[in-house]
PDB file of all heavy atoms in Angstrom:
ATOM      1  N   ILE A 211       3.265 -26.713 -32.637  1.00  0.00           N
ATOM      2  CA  ILE A 211       2.796 -27.108 -31.301  1.00  0.00           C
ATOM      3  C   ILE A 211       3.942 -27.316 -30.313  1.00  0.00           C
ATOM      4  O   ILE A 211       3.864 -26.877 -29.167  1.00  0.00           O
ATOM      5  CB  ILE A 211       1.912 -28.384 -31.415  1.00  0.00           C
ATOM      6  CG1 ILE A 211       0.451 -28.019 -31.544  1.00  0.00           C
ATOM      7  CG2 ILE A 211       2.110 -29.332 -30.279  1.00  0.00           C
ATOM      8  CD1 ILE A 211      -0.173 -27.049 -30.689  1.00  0.00           C
ATOM      9  N   SER A 212       5.033 -27.935 -30.749  1.00  0.00           N
ATOM     10  CA  SER A 212       6.036 -28.279 -29.742  1.00  0.00           C
ATOM     11  C   SER A 212       6.694 -27.066 -29.092  1.00  0.00           C
ATOM     12  O   SER A 212       6.766 -26.997 -27.872  1.00  0.00           O
ATOM     13  CB  SER A 212       7.049 -29.281 -30.288  1.00  0.00           C
ATOM     14  OG  SER A 212       7.575 -28.825 -31.493  1.00  0.00           O
ATOM     15  N   PRO A 213       7.152 -26.065 -29.865  1.00  0.00           N
ATOM     16  CA  PRO A 213       7.694 -24.898 -29.153  1.00  0.00           C
ATOM     17  C   PRO A 213       6.648 -24.205 -28.289  1.00  0.00           C
ATOM     18  O   PRO A 213       6.981 -23.647 -27.236  1.00  0.00           O
ATOM     19  CB  PRO A 213       8.171 -23.977 -30.275  1.00  0.00           C
ATOM     20  CG  PRO A 213       7.576 -24.488 -31.521  1.00  0.00           C
ATOM     21  CD  PRO A 213       7.321 -25.947 -31.319  1.00  0.00           C
ATOM     22  N   ILE A 214       5.385 -24.249 -28.726  1.00  0.00           N
ATOM     23  CA  ILE A 214       4.349 -23.597 -27.921  1.00  0.00           C
ATOM     24  C   ILE A 214       4.206 -24.310 -26.580  1.00  0.00           C
ATOM     25  O   ILE A 214       4.080 -23.679 -25.526  1.00  0.00           O
ATOM     26  CB  ILE A 214       2.996 -23.579 -28.671  1.00  0.00           C
ATOM     27  CG1 ILE A 214       3.089 -22.632 -29.869  1.00  0.00           C
ATOM     28  CG2 ILE A 214       1.876 -23.125 -27.744  1.00  0.00           C
ATOM     29  CD1 ILE A 214       1.824 -22.545 -30.682  1.00  0.00           C
ATOM     30  N   ILE A 215       4.259 -25.633 -26.608  1.00  0.00           N
ATOM     31  CA  ILE A 215       4.139 -26.388 -25.357  1.00  0.00           C
ATOM     32  C   ILE A 215       5.286 -26.046 -24.414  1.00  0.00           C
ATOM     33  O   ILE A 215       5.087 -25.803 -23.221  1.00  0.00           O
ATOM     34  CB  ILE A 215       4.107 -27.907 -25.630  1.00  0.00           C
ATOM     35  CG1 ILE A 215       2.763 -28.264 -26.253  1.00  0.00           C
ATOM     36  CG2 ILE A 215       4.323 -28.691 -24.344  1.00  0.00           C
ATOM     37  CD1 ILE A 215       2.640 -29.718 -26.627  1.00  0.00           C
ATOM     38  N   VAL A 216       6.475 -25.986 -24.969  1.00  0.00           N
ATOM     39  CA  VAL A 216       7.633 -25.645 -24.140  1.00  0.00           C
ATOM     40  C   VAL A 216       7.448 -24.265 -23.520  1.00  0.00           C
ATOM     41  O   VAL A 216       7.581 -24.073 -22.309  1.00  0.00           O
ATOM     42  CB  VAL A 216       8.930 -25.675 -24.977  1.00  0.00           C
ATOM     43  CG1 VAL A 216      10.086 -25.131 -24.164  1.00  0.00           C
ATOM     44  CG2 VAL A 216       9.220 -27.090 -25.435  1.00  0.00           C
ATOM     45  N   LEU A 217       7.075 -23.300 -24.369  1.00  0.00           N
ATOM     46  CA  LEU A 217       6.887 -21.941 -23.862  1.00  0.00           C
ATOM     47  C   LEU A 217       5.788 -21.921 -22.812  1.00  0.00           C
ATOM     48  O   LEU A 217       5.907 -21.262 -21.775  1.00  0.00           O
ATOM     49  CB  LEU A 217       6.531 -21.004 -25.030  1.00  0.00           C
ATOM     50  CG  LEU A 217       6.392 -19.535 -24.654  1.00  0.00           C
ATOM     51  CD1 LEU A 217       7.708 -18.999 -24.129  1.00  0.00           C
ATOM     52  CD2 LEU A 217       5.928 -18.703 -25.834  1.00  0.00           C
ATOM     53  N   ALA A 218       4.720 -22.683 -23.064  1.00  0.00           N
ATOM     54  CA  ALA A 218       3.581 -22.673 -22.139  1.00  0.00           C
ATOM     55  C   ALA A 218       3.994 -23.174 -20.765  1.00  0.00           C
ATOM     56  O   ALA A 218       3.584 -22.610 -19.748  1.00  0.00           O
ATOM     57  CB  ALA A 218       2.437 -23.514 -22.702  1.00  0.00           C
ATOM     58  N   SER A 219       4.821 -24.219 -20.732  1.00  0.00           N
ATOM     59  CA  SER A 219       5.175 -24.733 -19.410  1.00  0.00           C
ATOM     60  C   SER A 219       6.015 -23.712 -18.652  1.00  0.00           C
ATOM     61  O   SER A 219       5.869 -23.549 -17.444  1.00  0.00           O
ATOM     62  CB  SER A 219       5.910 -26.072 -19.523  1.00  0.00           C
ATOM     63  OG  SER A 219       7.179 -25.869 -20.079  1.00  0.00           O
ATOM     64  N   LEU A 220       6.844 -22.971 -19.383  1.00  0.00           N
ATOM     65  CA  LEU A 220       7.605 -21.913 -18.714  1.00  0.00           C
ATOM     66  C   LEU A 220       6.689 -20.763 -18.303  1.00  0.00           C
ATOM     67  O   LEU A 220       6.885 -20.118 -17.277  1.00  0.00           O
ATOM     68  CB  LEU A 220       8.715 -21.397 -19.636  1.00  0.00           C
ATOM     69  CG  LEU A 220       9.766 -22.440 -20.028  1.00  0.00           C
ATOM     70  CD1 LEU A 220      10.763 -21.854 -21.008  1.00  0.00           C
ATOM     71  CD2 LEU A 220      10.482 -22.958 -18.794  1.00  0.00           C
ATOM     72  N   MET A 221       5.651 -20.534 -19.116  1.00  0.00           N
ATOM     73  CA  MET A 221       4.717 -19.442 -18.790  1.00  0.00           C
ATOM     74  C   MET A 221       3.915 -19.755 -17.534  1.00  0.00           C
ATOM     75  O   MET A 221       3.603 -18.855 -16.744  1.00  0.00           O
ATOM     76  CB  MET A 221       3.778 -19.170 -19.950  1.00  0.00           C
ATOM     77  CG  MET A 221       4.415 -18.339 -21.040  1.00  0.00           C
ATOM     78  SD  MET A 221       3.408 -18.341 -22.520  1.00  0.00           S
ATOM     79  CE  MET A 221       1.967 -17.467 -21.959  1.00  0.00           C
ATOM     80  N   VAL A 222       3.535 -21.030 -17.373  1.00  0.00           N
ATOM     81  CA  VAL A 222       2.817 -21.397 -16.146  1.00  0.00           C
ATOM     82  C   VAL A 222       3.694 -21.055 -14.950  1.00  0.00           C
ATOM     83  O   VAL A 222       3.242 -20.466 -13.960  1.00  0.00           O
ATOM     84  CB  VAL A 222       2.455 -22.900 -16.140  1.00  0.00           C
ATOM     85  CG1 VAL A 222       1.807 -23.268 -14.811  1.00  0.00           C
ATOM     86  CG2 VAL A 222       1.526 -23.227 -17.278  1.00  0.00           C
ATOM     87  N   ALA A 223       4.980 -21.390 -15.068  1.00  0.00           N
ATOM     88  CA  ALA A 223       5.905 -21.096 -13.978  1.00  0.00           C
ATOM     89  C   ALA A 223       5.952 -19.599 -13.693  1.00  0.00           C
ATOM     90  O   ALA A 223       5.828 -19.163 -12.545  1.00  0.00           O
ATOM     91  CB  ALA A 223       7.298 -21.617 -14.318  1.00  0.00           C
ATOM     92  N   SER A 224       6.099 -18.789 -14.751  1.00  0.00           N
ATOM     93  CA  SER A 224       6.233 -17.358 -14.459  1.00  0.00           C
ATOM     94  C   SER A 224       4.897 -16.770 -14.019  1.00  0.00           C
ATOM     95  O   SER A 224       4.871 -15.811 -13.245  1.00  0.00           O
ATOM     96  CB  SER A 224       6.834 -16.597 -15.637  1.00  0.00           C
ATOM     97  OG  SER A 224       6.043 -16.763 -16.766  1.00  0.00           O
TER      98      SER A 224
END
Side-chain angles (χ1 to χ4, degrees):
Chain A
I211 267 313
S212 52
I214 291 180
I215 288 177
V216 172
L217 184 62
S219 69
L220 298 176
M221 281 168 66
V222 176
S224 58

